[in-house]
Amino acid sequence: MAVLVLLGVLALAVGGCVCVVWAERGGPRWVRVVATVTLTAGELLRRSGKNRRGLGGTTSDGD
């Protein structure tokens, strides 16, 4: 079951990346919407990762 969930997440991520590239080349409106959602979700994940690292957790840089 977990494998199916991971495969679904992977398929969504790959599809989102394809839509980002297609939108850059002038794809249809729905592709531009999916690309915007993908880029926004990536930015939110990136920001949440920065916030978690800054809360005094351990670092993995060998210190």
Side-chain angles (χ1 to χ4, degrees):
M1 182 65 182
V3 173
L4 291 176
V5 171
L6 290 174
L7 285 174
V9 170
L10 179 63
L12 287 173
V14 170
C17 292
V18 168
C19 285
V20 169
V21 172
W22 192 5
E24 284 291 320
R25 296 174 180 245
R29 179 161 175 74
W30 68 268
V31 171
R32 292 192 300 267
V33 170
V34 172
T36 301
V37 169
T38 301
L39 292 173
T40 303
E43 184 63 30
L44 290 173
L45 286 172
R46 191 175 306 119
R47 287 183 185 177
S48 72
K50 286 181 182 178
N51 289 342
R52 270 187 256 149
R53 277 183 260 138
L55 293 176
T58 60
T59 61
S60 61
D61 60 0
D63 288 335

